[in-house]
């Protein structure tokens, strides 16, 4: 029920991947197999109709009882087939022989798993599309909203919130593309006992008709795929676990991509920063004043779990023989958990981005918090022309240190450092210092004697962080040229 998993509790994916959802998929896989055989003349149409009708009544089967009986055979298909066969016999005794005919348990469970995955992804993809659409609006609105760019937790250079939101959107679209590609390729599974489909040939021969064509297995695979709505694989993939591994990678990528968004929201919504808040934060059991960023928290929690689950699924690629012991079984729960966590994260991300509140005034306050140090990269470029690169770096290092140690404004500290480093400059071009002859630095090629220092007006211009945004706006425009898929679109 998700008591300890609020990140996916109540989501569409939670219901689709629950025991009832898996039971429905198992019954759908069995019914589709009988219909596929009937379409090729390997079973009567009446048998296909009977099996399909009984399979459409999942209430006949108790998941808990099946789970307990599954211990005897190691999977739930064996007891389910027994119950389904008995139920079909009650309806049409002649049809019972065609339940599960020619298949192995892994055929049905793998096919059911792919059906569950397909149905789950059909709810995840629209949530990702909604998230991308919300981020498009946010990025466009805040294309030129300045904020501090941060690296290694510290102010680096100015950026814009629009560029940050455009980056989030890019990751969401990458996730959508990967999951949509995997969704379209999810394959049916049918190989029989060891991947040769030999039983279907044997049953065809036993009917007394002409010898079955060599391509019977391929045609049956194609028809089975059509009946389920899944893709037709080139080969049975009992121990060729590419479909599961590809899905695992796409789910881990998606959870991580949404986790990047969540990590930024969590950081920027700290009380000390206050640049973002969730539309309706969660409360605290002890502190009435709190409005916690709960959606971002849930997304971040999922992002930390799904990669580990994907590692288990990748490990199952090393499966022995034609059907494995243990590797296949190890996939079931991690795959379901990865689907649930990613689906819950997509739901929460859609809600988070739809109601995210942006606070440009706090962004500007924080951008100004260092008194201009956030643009020292820009100052370095300007000073290099006057002093050479090495001396420019030394001047700025000195000014930054004095600003921190002596609690003085950067312009004053910079002017003091410049006075000691630059050649004489006209009085009217110096912001505060008296006119004095100073030797030019000797470790770099010196500026020409009499070259002017930075004027007060020029220094003010260089210290304005909103004037040092580079190509941020153009990058946002370029990123927003990439379209997102309609939210209602299904693969």
């Amino acid at each position: 029920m998700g008591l300890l998993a609020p990140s996916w509790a109540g989501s569409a994916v939670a219901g689709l991947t629950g025991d009832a959802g898996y039971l429905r998929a198992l019954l759908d896989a069995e019914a589709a197999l009988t219909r596929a055989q009937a379409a090729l003349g390997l079973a009567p149409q009446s048998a296909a109709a009977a099996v399909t009708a009984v399979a459409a009544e999942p209430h006949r089967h108790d998941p808990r009882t099946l789970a307990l009986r599954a211990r005897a055979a190691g999977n739930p298909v064996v007891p389910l087939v027994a119950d389904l066969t008995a139920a079909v016999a009650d309806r049409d005794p002649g049809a019972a022989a065609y339940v599960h005919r020619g298949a192995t348990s892994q055929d049905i469970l793998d096919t059911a798993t792919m059906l569950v995955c397909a149905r789950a992804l059909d709810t995840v993809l629209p949530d990702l599309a909604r998230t991308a659409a919300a981020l498009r609006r946010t990025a466009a609105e805040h294309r030129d909203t300045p904020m501090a760019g941060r690296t290694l937790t510290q102010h680096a250079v100015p950026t814009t919130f629009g560029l940050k939101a455009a980056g989030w959107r890019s990751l969401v679209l990458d996730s959508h593309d990967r999951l949509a590609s995997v969704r379209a390729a999810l394959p049916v599974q049918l190989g029989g006992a060891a991947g040769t489909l030999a039983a279907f040939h044997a049953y065809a021969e036993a009917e007394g008709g002409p010898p079955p064509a060599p391509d019977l297995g391929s045609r049956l695979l194609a028809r089975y795929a059509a009946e389920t709505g899944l893709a037709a694989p080139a080969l049975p993939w009992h121990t060729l676990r590419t479909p599961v591994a590809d899905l695992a990678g796409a789910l881990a990528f998606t959870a991580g991509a949404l986790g990047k968004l969540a990590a930024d929201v969590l950081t920027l919504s700290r009380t000390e920063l206050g640049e973002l808040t969730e539309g309706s934060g969660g409360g605290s059991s002890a502190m009435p004043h709190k409005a916690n960023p709960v959606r971002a928290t849930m997304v971040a929690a999922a992002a930390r779990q799904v990669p580990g689950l994907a590692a288990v699924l990748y490990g199952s690629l090393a499966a022995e023989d034609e059907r494995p012991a243990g590797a296949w079984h190890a996939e079931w729960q991690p795959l379901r958990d990865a689907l649930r966590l990613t689906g819950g994260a997509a739901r929460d991300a859609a809600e988070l981005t739809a109601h995210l509140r942006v606070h440009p005034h706090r962004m500007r306050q924080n951008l100004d918090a260092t008194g201009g140090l956030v643009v020292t990269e820009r100052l370095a470029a300007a000073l290099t022309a006057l002093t050479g690169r090495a001396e420019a770096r030394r001047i700025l290092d000195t000014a930054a240190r004095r600003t921190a140690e002596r609690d003085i404004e950067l312009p004053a500290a910079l002017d003091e450092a410049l006075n000691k480093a630059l050649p004489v400059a006209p009085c009217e071009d110096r912001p505060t210092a008296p006119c004095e002859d100073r030797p030019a630095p000797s470790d770099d090629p010196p500026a020409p004697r009499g070259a002017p220092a930075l004027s007060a007006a020029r220094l003010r211009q260089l210290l304005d962080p909103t004037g040092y945004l580079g190509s941020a706006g153009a990058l946002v425009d370029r990123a927003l040229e990439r379209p997102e898929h309609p939210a209602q679109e299904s693969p």
Side-chain angles (χ1 to χ4, degrees), residues 1 8-19 21 123 336 339-340 343-344:
M1 300 302 294
W8 56 256
S11 66
V13 172
L16 293 169
T17 58
D19 286 352
T123 70
R336 174 154 73 172
L339 284 168
R340 287 176 164 179

Side-chain angles (χ1 to χ4, degrees), residues 7-8 11 124 127-128 131 254-255 258-259 295 298-300 302-303 306 339-351:
S7 58
W8 56 256
S11 66
V124 175
D127 280 341
L128 292 176
T131 301
T254 300
L258 297 177
R295 291 179 181 83
M298 293 299 98
V299 175
V306 178
L339 284 168
R340 287 176 164 179
L341 288 164
T342 306
R347 173 197 60 180
D348 289 339
E351 294 177 358

Side-chain angles (χ1 to χ4, degrees), residues 148-474:
R150 297 171 173 92
T151 61
L152 299 174
T153 76
Q154 306 297 301
H155 281 202
V157 297
T159 184
T160 69
F161 184 65
L163 185 57
K164 182 177 286 289
W168 294 343
R169 177 178 178 269
S170 178
L171 283 174
V172 172
L173 292 177
D174 289 345
S175 301
H176 189 287
D177 289 348
R178 283 161 172 76
L179 284 179
S181 177
V182 169
R183 164 65 179 90
L186 293 175
V188 75
Q189 173 75 283
L190 190 63
T196 65
L197 297 160
F200 298 103
H201 288 258
Y203 282 116
E205 292 172 353
E207 296 293 335
D215 67 345
L216 173 63
S218 298
R219 291 189 293 117
L220 183 58
L221 263 174
R223 186 66 194 192
Y224 192 30
E227 292 291 341
T228 60
L230 298 171
L235 295 169
W237 46 280
H238 292 145
T239 52
L240 309 175
R241 308 305 287 177
T242 301
V244 175
D246 283 348
L247 178 56
L251 291 172
F253 181 93
T254 300
L258 297 177
K260 158 60 178 171
L261 185 164
D264 282 346
V265 171
L266 289 170
T267 297
L268 298 177
S269 62
R270 289 179 182 271
T271 305
E272 296 81 9
L273 297 181
E275 297 180 0
L276 299 175
T277 52
E278 288 195 3
S280 56
S284 164
S285 64
M287 293 166 284
H289 69 279
K290 296 197 71 179
N292 296 320
V294 291
R295 291 179 181 83
T297 297
M298 293 299 98
V299 175
R304 284 161 173 74
Q305 296 175 77
V306 178
L309 298 169
V312 175
L313 298 172
Y314 276 118
S316 289
L317 282 167
E320 73 282 359
D321 301 326
E322 278 61 55
R323 289 182 57 222
W328 173 52
H329 306 74
E331 293 176 347
W332 305 343
Q333 194 61 38
L335 180 56
R336 174 154 73 172
D337 288 345
L339 284 168
R340 287 176 164 179
L341 288 164
T342 306
R347 173 197 60 180
D348 289 339
E351 294 177 358
L352 169 63
T353 53
H355 304 290
L356 187 65
R357 296 168 60 190
V358 183
H359 306 296
H361 68 287
R362 289 299 301 270
M363 292 179 176
R364 183 55 197 262
Q365 289 173 1
N366 292 332
L367 187 57
D368 293 336
T370 59
L373 290 176
V374 75
V375 291
T376 54
E377 182 184 66
R378 186 187 197 188
L379 291 170
L383 288 178
T384 295
L386 299 175
T387 68
R389 183 175 180 180
E391 183 65 13
R393 178 58 186 263
R394 189 192 67 77
I395 291 170
L396 287 169
D397 285 347
T398 300
R401 185 171 61 254
R402 288 174 178 170
T403 297
E405 293 175 352
R406 295 162 52 183
D407 194 25
I408 62 175
E409 298 292 329
L410 178 60
L414 182 60
D415 195 68
E416 181 180 331
L418 284 169
N419 271 329
K420 295 180 179 180
L422 291 175
V424 67
C427 292
E428 63 271 16
D429 289 331
R430 303 301 299 276
T432 59
C435 293
E436 298 179 7
D437 284 339
R438 300 284 185 184
S442 59
D443 56 340
D444 267 337
R449 186 70 179 169
L454 299 176
S455 69
R458 176 59 173 155
L459 185 57
R460 285 194 299 271
Q461 179 189 31
L462 291 173
L463 289 174
D464 179 8
T466 66
Y468 192 57
L469 298 175
S471 297

